[in-house]
Amino acid sequence: MKEWNKLNLGWKNAFINAWDAFKEKTIPIGCVIQNEMDETVAIGRNMIYQTNNSDMILYNNKLAHAEINAILLLKESLHPKLKKYTLYTTMEPCILCFGAMVMGNIRNVKYAARDRFAGATAINKIHEYTVSKKINVEGPIEELEYFQICIQSYYELENHPNNCERILVEFEKDCMNGVITAKKLFENKILNKYCEENKNIEYIYNKLLENY
């Protein structure tokens, strides 16, 4: 098991943004882009349901995905080595976001958790144009998948109780324990309490991984 302090900077920043999204009651997905020297050059988080203005480019819009917000921050003229950069995202990119990566010259992608409901990395192997771009895709990462599925399932249970089951069923196919843990946490509103107590992401990550 990787404790928080053993994660690299890319994953730490991605999950910091995922938790920030959770606290804003929008889908808890975070994304960062690291340059070839492992320096953070862009960050993004899901802002679909966030109505107040922020430092993200897109918000309160169905297209306000974490990866889109990160990619839009990069001007290729200022990043001539963009193809050597790595995009970290806490959830498998959907068709919108993977398409943006292809067209945005992102060539290295790492994701934490699989998403049978909306994930679209399979395009990387079956679409002729995408195959020609030789995009390196890595994921999932087992313990990171567990954490992501925990917080995202919890979010769905809290915010979309009437139609979350169809999503959770898909999550269960790859990470049953993550969904089970989320349901147990939700019974006692544990993550809500962590928000009220202003617990940081390191505490939350390590606490949830105790049940991994």
Side-chain angles (χ1 to χ4, degrees), residues 24-42:
E24 294 290 345
K25 298 188 182 302
T26 189
I27 303 170
I29 298 175
C31 172
V32 299
I33 300 173
Q34 306 286 111
N35 66 17
E36 75 277 15
M37 295 177 288
D38 206 29
E39 299 168 331
T40 301
V41 294

Side-chain angles (χ1 to χ4, degrees), residues 3-190:
E3 296 179 352
W4 178 261
N5 61 11
K6 294 181 181 179
L7 298 180
N8 69 25
L9 184 62
W11 287 124
K12 286 181 178 178
N13 284 334
F15 279 107
I16 286 170
N17 279 279
W19 183 244
D20 284 345
F22 182 93
K23 290 188 292 184
E24 294 290 345
K25 298 188 182 302
T26 189
I27 303 170
I29 298 175
C31 172
V32 299
I33 300 173
Q34 306 286 111
N35 66 17
E36 75 277 15
M37 295 177 288
D38 206 29
E39 299 168 331
T40 301
V41 294
I43 63 172
R45 66 179 180 275
N46 186 283
M47 299 282 290
I48 288 177
Y49 299 110
Q50 189 166 336
T51 57
N52 59 303
N53 202 348
S54 76
D55 54 345
M56 297 290 116
I57 293 177
L58 289 177
Y59 65 96
N60 194 27
N61 187 293
K62 289 293 186 182
L63 302 182
H65 292 204
E67 299 91 335
I68 298 296
N69 268 316
I71 293 169
L72 287 175
L73 290 174
L74 291 182
K75 295 185 182 301
E76 194 164 359
S77 60
L78 300 177
H79 298 276
K81 296 182 179 179
L82 180 58
K83 290 181 179 180
K84 295 183 178 181
Y85 292 8
T86 300
L87 182 147
Y88 291 81
T89 179
T90 61
M91 199 70 175
E92 180 182 357
C94 68
I95 192 168
L96 167 70
C97 295
F98 198 78
M101 293 171 198
V102 174
M103 305 309 293
N105 278 338
I106 301 296
R107 296 294 178 260
N108 299 288
V109 178
K110 296 185 179 184
Y111 67 90
R114 287 165 286 188
D115 183 1
R116 285 179 184 255
F117 184 73
T121 57
I123 295 172
N124 194 44
K125 297 180 180 179
I126 62 176
H127 191 281
E128 184 176 351
Y129 179 79
T130 304
V131 170
S132 73
K133 298 302 179 181
K134 296 181 171 56
I135 300 172
N136 178 42
V137 178
E138 297 180 22
I141 299 176
E142 194 171 342
E143 62 269 29
L144 300 186
E145 179 172 66
Y146 170 81
F147 180 76
Q148 176 64 26
I149 294 301
C150 278
I151 63 172
Q152 193 160 341
S153 297
Y154 189 110
Y155 165 84
E156 294 294 341
L157 288 163
E158 181 175 35
N159 294 282
H160 306 115
N162 295 327
N163 63 359
C164 69
E165 194 58 34
R166 63 195 180 105
I167 297 176
L168 300 189
V169 165
E170 296 302 315
F171 288 174
E172 286 175 348
K173 292 176 181 177
D174 294 315
C175 191
M176 175 73 75
N177 288 341
V179 176
I180 291 172
T181 299
K183 290 179 177 179
K184 291 178 179 177
L185 293 171
F186 184 69
E187 286 177 3
N188 297 307
K189 303 293 185 180
I190 298 298

